Amino acid sequence: AKDSGYCPIECGRGCTTMFGWKRRSIVEPAPADEYPPATADEYPGEAEKVLQVRSLCNMACKSAEAVSRMSPEQMLEDANQYDVGRYQICLHQASKLTAQLADQFYRDAATEALIYILVTAGDARQARKLFYELRVRDIRDELLRYYPDLAEKPSKQRGVNG
């Protein structure tokens, strides 16, 4: 995979993953006329929840990188429990917040952050499952631009690394 120089969750650490991405300085905005403007009264607190999800994913970024380099046996070792625990707790909290979102666009924006952290941790199977739940075309297209492997059908095999 060609290195595009893009860190989608912008953790500021120059992340790399099995798909080979790093921080990119320019993010192209989606056309403003494609989505009707949401009002704050329509979905109160949803934008804040999406920001919370992104913050949780940013906090878990370094731990997700460490988890991606661990074998299942290494994940059980006491020395690695901090990174594994922080990654799992942040992922769980971010997932719970995402499930509370009513608006499809906000939910897909939060799910995008979850997919990035799953890819960082090497959990391609779970990332693909979430990818197939996305309904906003621009978000799906953006993910596919950097991670074309997400388009593959989710496998039935279990495991953190794919």
Side-chain angles (χ1 to χ4, degrees), residues 18 67-72 75 121-125 158-162:
M18 66 183 185
V67 167
S68 72
R69 294 186 296 266
M70 293 179 201
S71 68
M75 287 185 198
D123 193 350
R125 183 185 63 87
R158 305 199 97 198
V160 173
N161 294 323

Side-chain angles (χ1 to χ4, degrees), residues 57-90:
C57 290
N58 285 341
M59 287 189 320
C61 184
K62 202 65 168 171
S63 294
E65 288 176 0
V67 167
S68 72
R69 294 186 296 266
M70 293 179 201
S71 68
E73 295 80 24
Q74 289 174 318
M75 287 185 198
L76 299 174
E77 294 175 5
D78 289 340
N80 297 325
Q81 285 305 301
Y82 177 77
D83 281 327
V84 172
R86 185 168 73 160
Y87 163 70
Q88 289 175 343
I89 288 169
C90 288

Side-chain angles (χ1 to χ4, degrees), residues 140-160:
R140 288 176 62 95
D141 292 347
E142 181 78 7
L143 283 165
L144 284 177
R145 185 171 3 156
Y146 298 103
Y147 308 116
D149 294 343
L150 288 175
E152 297 173 12
K153 290 287 184 193
S155 66
K156 299 205 186 239
Q157 81 186 72
R158 305 199 97 198
V160 173

Side-chain angles (χ1 to χ4, degrees), residues 51-61 89-90 93-94 97:
L51 290 174
Q52 287 177 338
V53 168
R54 287 182 176 266
S55 291
L56 286 165
C57 290
N58 285 341
M59 287 189 320
C61 184
I89 288 169
C90 288
Q93 289 174 343
L97 281 171

